[in-house]
Amino acid sequence: SQTIHQWPATLVQPVGSPLSLECTVEGTSNPNLYWYRQAAGRGLQLLFYSVGIGQISSEVPQNLSASRPQDRQFILSSKKLLLSDSGFYLCAWRGGRREKLFFGSGTQLSVL
Amino acid sequence: SQQGEEDPQALSIQEGENATMNCSYKTSINNLQWYRQNSGRGLVHLILIRSNEREKHSGRLRVTLDTSKKSSSLLITASRAADTASYFCATDAVENNDMRFGAGTRLTVKP
């Protein structure tokens, strides 16, 4: 069966520090991968999605970036975090277009 | 950016009552999906309705889709305290691979 792993569950980082959040999927190949951010009590904002290795679509210009070095690995990064980067980050995958999403358990990021 | 809006933003009902949530969207879609989120957790898929479908049922869930009005509704019948959560609609766009979510409805079911 397919599983998605996202870590860490919580992270507290100072302003200006770098960020690396990792998401991996097991039990499937060539998944579509997604990064979302959720502010407290709000909806999900699509940040990046990827349909294949090295293929990244960016939805929101900002100081975040994403990479997909392997088929089932999706990484969210920042060189210098801002206070406004705080939020709940969710990784998700699906088998292709027109299918449902499977979500990881999320990372609560606090930038202080 | 988010695709659309759900209303109401918050809904509080008694156990046993029905809960109706609405969703509006903007683009052409392949399908529309509803998800549930318990506080601080990832989202869980509930139901998917294709653009050529008008109504779909799954257990106590009933979803309708009106593509001419670009809107959908989720009905939860005979609600339970365990249904307390936030509910989001998401649109699967025709033009690309992205999935965009609405702002969500926070449902509270009082025992």
Side-chain angles (χ1 to χ4, degrees), chain A residues 18-33:
Chain A
L19 173 73
S20 180
L21 300 180
E22 187 166 342
C23 173
T24 60
V25 180
E26 296 178 357
T28 188
S29 59
N30 197 31
N32 289 358
L33 296 169

Side-chain angles (χ1 to χ4, degrees), chain B residues 52-70:
Chain B
N52 61 353
E53 298 176 311
R54 292 297 168 258
E55 186 171 314
K56 199 163 186 179
H57 298 255
S58 176
R60 293 185 296 113
L61 305 180
R62 172 178 171 259
V63 172
T64 62
L65 179 65
D66 186 335
T67 53
S68 67
K69 295 180 179 179
K70 289 187 165 52

Side-chain angles (χ1 to χ4, degrees), chain A residues 12-68:
Chain A
V12 180
Q13 293 284 99
V15 169
S17 63
L19 173 73
S20 180
L21 300 180
E22 187 166 342
C23 173
T24 60
V25 180
E26 296 178 357
T28 188
S29 59
N30 197 31
N32 289 358
L33 296 169
Y34 301 80
W35 277 111
Y36 291 90
R37 178 170 62 197
Q38 184 179 31
R42 305 293 295 276
L44 276 69
Q45 178 186 34
L46 178 62
L47 300 176
F48 302 95
Y49 69 93
S50 171
V51 300
I53 295 174
Q55 300 179 61
I56 308 294
S57 295
S58 174
E59 294 298 310
V60 183
Q62 54 199 345
N63 69 321
L64 298 174
S65 62
S67 62
R68 185 170 177 173

Side-chain angles (χ1 to χ4, degrees), chain B residues 5-76:
Chain B
E5 295 294 328
E6 280 99 329
D7 75 85
Q9 292 185 345
L11 180 61
S12 181
I13 59 175
Q14 294 294 135
E15 219 169 19
E17 295 179 340
N18 295 341
T20 299
M21 291 160 267
N22 303 297
C23 167
S24 62
Y25 60 92
K26 298 175 183 176
T27 61
S28 296
I29 61 172
N30 291 311
N31 62 67
L32 185 142
Q33 303 177 26
W34 284 90
Y35 290 79
R36 167 193 168 127
Q37 183 184 35
N38 288 341
S39 181
R41 307 291 295 273
L43 280 72
V44 175
H45 180 266
L46 294 175
I47 193 167
L48 180 154
I49 186 166
R50 294 182 175 83
S51 60
N52 61 353
E53 298 176 311
R54 292 297 168 258
E55 186 171 314
K56 199 163 186 179
H57 298 255
S58 176
R60 293 185 296 113
L61 305 180
R62 172 178 171 259
V63 172
T64 62
L65 179 65
D66 186 335
T67 53
S68 67
K69 295 180 179 179
K70 289 187 165 52
S71 66
S72 174
S73 67
L74 171 68
L75 169 67
I76 303 175

